[in-house]
Amino acid sequence: MLKFMVRRLAVAIVTVWLATLLVFLLLAFVPGDPVVAMLIDVSGAAPTQEEIDALRAQLGFDRPTYIRYFMWLSRVLRGDLGESLITGLPVSRMIAAALPATMELAFSSMFIAIIIAFPLGILSATRRNSPVDFASRIVSLIGLCMPGFWLALLLMLVFAVNLGWLPVFGRGELRHLILPAITLGTGMAALSARLIRSSMLEVLQEDFIRTARAKGLSENVVVWVHALKCAMIPVVTILGLQMGFALGGSAIVETVFAWPGMGRMMVNAIFARDFVVVQAATLMFAAIITAANTLVDISYAYLDPRIRC
C-alpha cells in the first residue's frame, strides 16, 4: 500500500508541474502584450517604445521564455506567487481572499449533487424499465445536455426576477449560495445518477445478491447495505472527478452570478492579460484537482485491493 501511495504522489507532482508548464507556454504565445495594457491603464494613452522597453525589462519580459519559466517556478517553490501586473497586489493574498468562496461553492454543489444523484440512481436501478426509470433517465439526460450558463439565466429569471425569492449576485447569506450551487450541481447530479444506476444494475445481477434475497433479507437491506457498498467502487472515482468539474466549471457560474471566487478572478485576469494571476490560479486549480483525485485513488485502493498491485 505504501508503494502505491508513493507512486500516486509522484504522478500527482508530475501532473501539477506539467499543468504549470503548459499554461506558462500557452500564455507566452497568447496575442497581446501585457506591458502595453498596463501602460495604457496607467496613463490612458498609447505608450512610447521607450516606456514599453523599460517596463518589459523591469518585469523580466525581455528574457527568453524558458528562463522566465524557471525563474517563476523557483519563486513558487519558495512560496512566492508574485504580484499582479494590474493591481500590484500579492497574488497569494488575492487567492487567499477568493479560494474560500470557490471551495464553498464547490462543496455546496457536490452536496446537492449527492443528495439528488444517489436516490435517483438507486430508484432507477431498482425499478428498471419502469416509468420511474424512464423518467429518471430523461431527467439525467436533460441535466447532462443543459449548458450551465443557460440554466443559470433560467434560474435567475424564475427565482429572482419573477418570484423575487433569491438574489442574483454577490456572496454573504445562505440565499446567495442557492442559485449558484444548484446551477453547478445539476450537471454533476445528472452524471452521477447515470453512473450509480449502471453500477447498481451490474451489482444487482451478482450471485451474492440473489443469495441475500434467498436468506429472507428485506429489499432495503439488500439494496442499501449489500448492493450499494459494492456499487460504490466506481462511484468513488467519479466523485473525485466531480470535484474537478466543480472547480473548473465554477468560472462560468461565478462570472454569471458575480460570485467572488477564483474562477471569476481568473476570468478577469485573462481579459486584463494579468498573466501572473492566471498562472498562480492555474497552479492552485491543478494542485487542488490533483490532490482530490489522488485521495480518491488511495481510497479506491482500500475498496479494491487489486488496484494496489
Side-chain angles (χ1 to χ4, degrees):
M1 185 62 187
L2 181 61
K3 293 176 63 176
F4 174 80
M5 294 177 62
V6 171
R7 289 200 305 268
R8 291 304 306 155
L9 289 175
V11 171
I13 293 173
V14 174
T15 301
V16 174
W17 170 69
L18 289 176
T20 62
L21 178 61
L22 179 62
V23 172
F24 193 95
L25 293 177
L26 290 175
L27 290 175
F29 296 102
V30 166
D33 192 342
V35 173
V36 176
M38 290 175 60
L39 291 173
I40 292 177
D41 289 339
V42 172
S43 63
T48 64
Q49 189 61 43
E50 290 77 11
E51 293 174 334
I52 295 174
D53 294 339
L55 185 56
R56 183 176 285 115
Q58 178 182 345
L59 297 175
F61 283 12
D62 58 338
R63 301 178 182 180
T65 302
Y66 69 93
I67 293 180
R68 288 193 287 118
Y69 173 73
F70 283 112
M71 291 176 58
W72 174 79
L73 187 60
S74 65
R75 291 196 303 268
V76 169
L77 293 176
R78 297 194 303 268
D80 180 12
L81 297 178
E83 297 180 349
S84 170
L85 299 179
I86 304 300
T87 64
L89 297 174
V91 178
S92 57
R93 186 185 304 173
M94 298 173 63
I95 291 178
L99 184 59
T102 295
M103 298 302 293
E104 177 184 353
L105 178 59
F107 282 112
S108 300
S109 61
M110 283 198 66
F111 174 75
I112 291 176
I114 289 173
I115 63 176
I116 294 175
F118 274 85
L120 194 63
I122 294 173
L123 188 65
S124 179
T126 54
R127 290 164 173 77
R128 184 178 183 182
N129 296 328
S130 68
V132 174
D133 181 27
F134 180 76
S136 172
R137 284 185 288 171
I138 292 296
V139 171
S140 299
L141 185 60
I142 293 175
L144 282 173
C145 299
M146 189 181 304
F149 69 89
W150 184 85
L151 177 60
L153 295 176
L154 182 63
L155 292 175
M156 292 167 63
L157 178 64
V158 173
F159 293 101
V161 177
N162 293 339
L163 298 177
W165 291 352
L166 299 170
V168 297
F169 63 87
R171 174 179 179 242
E173 301 177 3
L174 178 61
R175 61 197 191 101
H176 290 87
L177 180 62
I178 295 176
L179 292 184
I182 292 177
T183 302
L184 194 57
T186 298
M188 298 164 58
L191 178 60
S192 299
R194 292 179 67 87
L195 179 64
I196 292 170
R197 177 186 181 275
S198 61
S199 182
M200 285 289 294
L201 285 175
E202 183 179 351
V203 173
L204 289 173
Q205 304 301 318
E206 297 291 337
D207 292 337
F208 73 93
I209 296 296
R210 287 192 290 268
T211 302
R213 285 171 173 160
K215 289 180 178 180
L217 296 178
S218 66
E219 190 65 17
N220 287 335
V221 173
V222 171
V223 172
W224 292 94
V225 177
H226 295 279
L228 183 59
K229 181 179 179 180
C230 295
M232 278 296 295
I233 294 178
V235 175
V236 167
T237 302
I238 201 64
L239 290 178
L241 298 177
Q242 294 285 39
M243 174 57 73
F245 174 81
L247 291 171
S250 65
I252 297 176
V253 177
E254 289 179 3
T255 301
V256 172
F257 289 99
W259 187 263
M262 286 189 58
R264 183 166 177 254
M265 180 188 72
M266 190 172 180
V267 171
N268 293 336
I270 291 173
F271 282 114
R273 297 187 180 90
D274 196 344
F275 295 163
V276 177
V277 175
V278 176
Q279 291 161 4
T282 303
L283 174 62
M284 291 300 300
F285 278 133
I288 294 172
I289 294 171
T290 304
N293 283 277
T294 301
L295 291 176
V296 168
D297 287 341
I298 293 174
S299 63
Y300 199 25
Y302 276 108
L303 294 173
D304 190 350
R306 294 172 298 177
I307 300 178
R308 305 175 192 175
C309 302

